[in-house]
């Protein structure tokens, strides 16, 4: 699992259990995107330099034959690797394809009628379809671009977070349960209606006893907000459950289930913190991201142990580690 940490003296330490590389990134005034390629030999960083120039830097990690490449004049978020030499970037008004070896920048899809920049660019398992969210009025809508046909489609689906389940299906949430969008016919089906729907699964009651007690008694003390933030990994669907009361006390939990919802597991349960994002590795250890008192905290929770260290992980909001 790739990890990176930013130190107070603006050094970036990249590791996968052992330190792979340390970089001085004090030349950046801000960093807007960071992504590691699938084989973990290159890191792409986009941001603004101290002199105000936009730049994309490709860094070859230790034991790779590739050095560093700097491509000037482009910056954006949501970096997506297609291959070792091809990278997609969301510039705010285009999806652009970048050929690393030649520094060629090619806009491949222009966002139409964008009042707010699209966000959360992601690619389907086959790498043929690109999904992103676009602000419309006060909600985020799911949009799709097909790389093979150069066609785009906007779905009338309000969404806060989403993930690809397969090339045809997107899992998404918007404080009204977790639903499934069929991107070929636009049909929507329910995966989990709300947190109370978990109670009908027998394994949930004894594997997540404290959480199930809160959900069952929610009318008296805790009001159930929702199940949200779906993540598909390791043939399991992860999601977050949140409960809160009138005093703004909250509990949050990260659960996962198989596709048939027969094997529900609880990976994390905590009072007082709702995690803005998380990731899981091949062993289902969780990387949790939360913010308290306007500060960002990144922690690693290996299940079922307790927190062990502070980490920053890829493709999340950027901040210096003071």
């Amino acid at each position: 699992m790739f990890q990176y940490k930013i130190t107070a003296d603006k050094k970036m330490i990249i590791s996968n259990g052992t330190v792979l590389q340390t970089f001085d990134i004090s030349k950046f005034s801000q960093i807007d995107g960071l992504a590691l390629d699938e084989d973990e030999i290159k890191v792409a960083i986009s941001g603004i330099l101290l002199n105000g120039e936009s730049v994309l830097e490709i860094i070859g990690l230790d034991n790779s034959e590739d050095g560093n490449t700097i491509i000037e004049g482009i910056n954006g978020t949501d970096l997506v690797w297609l291959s070792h030499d091809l990278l997609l970037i969301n510039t705010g008004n285009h999806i652009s394809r970048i050929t690393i070896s030649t520094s060629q920048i090619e806009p491949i899809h222009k966002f139409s009628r964008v009042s707010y920049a699209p966000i959360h660019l992601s690619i389907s398992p086959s790498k043929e379809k690109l999904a992103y969210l676009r602000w419309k009025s006060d909600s985020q809508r799911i949009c799709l671009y097909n790389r093979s046909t150069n066609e785009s489609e906007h779905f009338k689906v309000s969404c806060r977070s989403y993930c690809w389940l397969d090339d045809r299906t997107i899992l998404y949430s918007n404080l009204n349960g977790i639903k499934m969008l069929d991107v070929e016919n636009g049909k929507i089906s329910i995966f989990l209606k709300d947190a109370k729907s978990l109670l009908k699964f027998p394994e949930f009651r004894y594997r997540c006893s404290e959480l199930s007690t809160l959900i069952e008694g929610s009318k008296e003390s805790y009001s159930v907000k929702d199940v949200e933030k779906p993540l598909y990994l390791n043939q399991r669907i992860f999601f977050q459950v949140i409960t809160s009361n009138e005093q703004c006390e909250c509990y949050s939990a990260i659960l996962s289930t198989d596709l048939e919802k027969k094997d529900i597991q609880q990976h994390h349960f905590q009072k007082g913190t709702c995690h803005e994002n998380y990731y899981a590795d091949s062993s289902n250890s969780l990387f949790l991201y939360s913010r308290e008192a306007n500060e960002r905290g990144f922690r690693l929770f290996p299940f079922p142990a307790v927190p062990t260290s502070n980490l920053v992980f890829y493709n999340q909001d950027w901040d210096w580690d003071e």
Side-chain angles (χ1 to χ4, degrees):
M1 174 66 187
F2 161 69
Q3 305 156 14
Y4 70 79
K5 179 175 176 64
I6 309 304
T7 65
D9 58 350
K10 296 178 174 55
K11 298 287 194 306
M12 181 172 69
I13 303 172
I14 298 177
S15 73
N16 61 357
T18 60
V19 173
L20 296 177
Q21 196 73 273
T22 300
F23 303 102
D24 182 357
I25 51 176
S26 58
K27 63 184 178 182
F28 286 96
S29 63
Q30 71 181 57
I31 292 180
D32 297 310
L34 189 150
L36 182 80
D37 74 336
E38 291 183 354
D39 293 330
E40 300 188 355
I41 64 173
K42 290 183 179 180
V43 174
I45 302 174
S46 65
I48 307 295
L49 300 179
L50 294 175
N51 62 10
E53 294 181 358
S54 299
V55 67
L56 172 68
E57 184 166 359
I58 311 299
I59 301 170
L61 299 180
D62 282 352
N63 302 320
S64 73
E65 297 179 356
D66 299 304
N68 293 5
T69 300
I70 296 178
I71 302 175
E72 298 177 346
I74 188 167
N75 180 40
T77 60
D78 303 322
L79 304 177
V80 175
W81 286 93
L82 295 177
S83 68
H84 291 159
D85 197 41
L86 293 176
L87 183 73
L88 297 178
I89 186 171
N90 171 13
T91 66
N93 52 24
H94 284 90
I95 297 174
S96 293
R97 180 173 54 225
I98 300 174
T99 305
I100 307 302
S101 58
T102 62
S103 297
Q104 180 183 6
I105 303 172
E106 179 187 2
I108 62 172
H109 177 51
K110 179 177 175 61
F111 302 121
S112 60
R113 298 190 301 276
V114 175
S115 55
Y116 298 97
I119 53 177
H120 301 317
L121 177 69
S122 69
I123 197 164
S124 65
S126 67
K127 298 188 176 181
E128 290 300 318
K129 300 171 183 175
L130 291 164
Y132 56 90
L133 301 181
R134 189 189 71 172
W135 280 100
K136 185 172 183 180
S137 299
D138 58 350
S139 65
Q140 297 171 168
R141 301 294 179 89
I142 296 178
C143 305
L144 200 70
Y145 168 69
N146 191 311
R147 295 178 58 227
S148 300
T149 63
N150 291 323
E151 295 177 345
S152 60
E153 186 174 3
H154 298 170
F155 296 94
K156 294 181 179 180
V157 172
S158 182
C159 172
R160 287 168 57 94
S161 62
Y162 78 96
C163 68
W164 286 95
L165 181 63
D166 52 44
D167 282 324
R168 181 168 178 159
T169 310
I170 287 177
L171 283 166
Y172 72 95
S173 64
N174 190 39
L175 296 179
N176 57 358
I178 295 176
K179 299 179 181 179
M180 305 172 74
L181 169 66
D182 187 321
V183 298
E184 293 190 8
N185 58 30
K187 291 185 177 179
I188 296 172
S189 57
I190 296 175
F191 181 75
L192 284 174
K193 182 179 180 180
D194 51 30
K196 287 187 177 181
S197 64
L198 295 168
L199 296 172
K200 66 181 181 180
F201 302 107
E203 288 187 347
F204 173 73
R205 291 181 180 274
Y206 71 82
R207 287 186 174 178
C208 318
S209 57
E210 190 172 357
L211 178 60
S212 64
T213 299
L214 286 172
I215 294 174
E216 285 185 297
S218 61
K219 288 184 178 181
E220 300 174 2
S221 57
Y222 284 83
S223 60
V224 178
K225 283 191 174 180
D226 202 15
V227 289
E228 59 177 10
K229 296 184 175 68
L231 168 68
Y232 182 57
L233 194 68
N234 309 329
Q235 301 297 310
R236 299 186 65 81
I237 296 174
F238 291 77
F239 55 93
Q240 182 170 249
V241 181
I242 298 175
T243 68
S244 64
N245 61 15
E246 294 180 354
Q247 289 73 42
C248 296
E249 296 174 329
C250 71
Y251 284 87
S252 67
I254 306 294
L255 277 61
S256 73
T257 178
D258 60 331
L259 296 178
E260 291 76 27
K261 292 178 282 191
K262 295 180 179 180
D263 178 26
I264 294 180
Q265 299 178 14
Q266 179 174 288
H267 302 273
H268 176 64
F269 182 73
Q270 183 177 358
K271 182 178 181 179
T273 300
C274 297
H275 299 287
E276 295 187 15
N277 220 323
Y278 63 93
Y279 194 76
D281 65 11
S282 58
S283 64
N284 291 342
S285 294
L286 292 180
F287 295 79
L288 301 177
Y289 166 70
S290 61
R291 182 182 300 166
E292 297 179 3
N294 296 323
E295 293 188 1
R296 293 176 171 90
F298 298 80
R299 291 183 287 172
L300 168 63
F301 287 73
F303 174 74
V306 296
T308 58
S309 61
N310 292 322
L311 297 174
V312 178
F313 61 92
Y314 76 98
N315 275 353
Q316 297 304 324
D317 291 343
W318 184 270
D319 200 8
W320 299 118
D321 182 13
E322 299 294 347

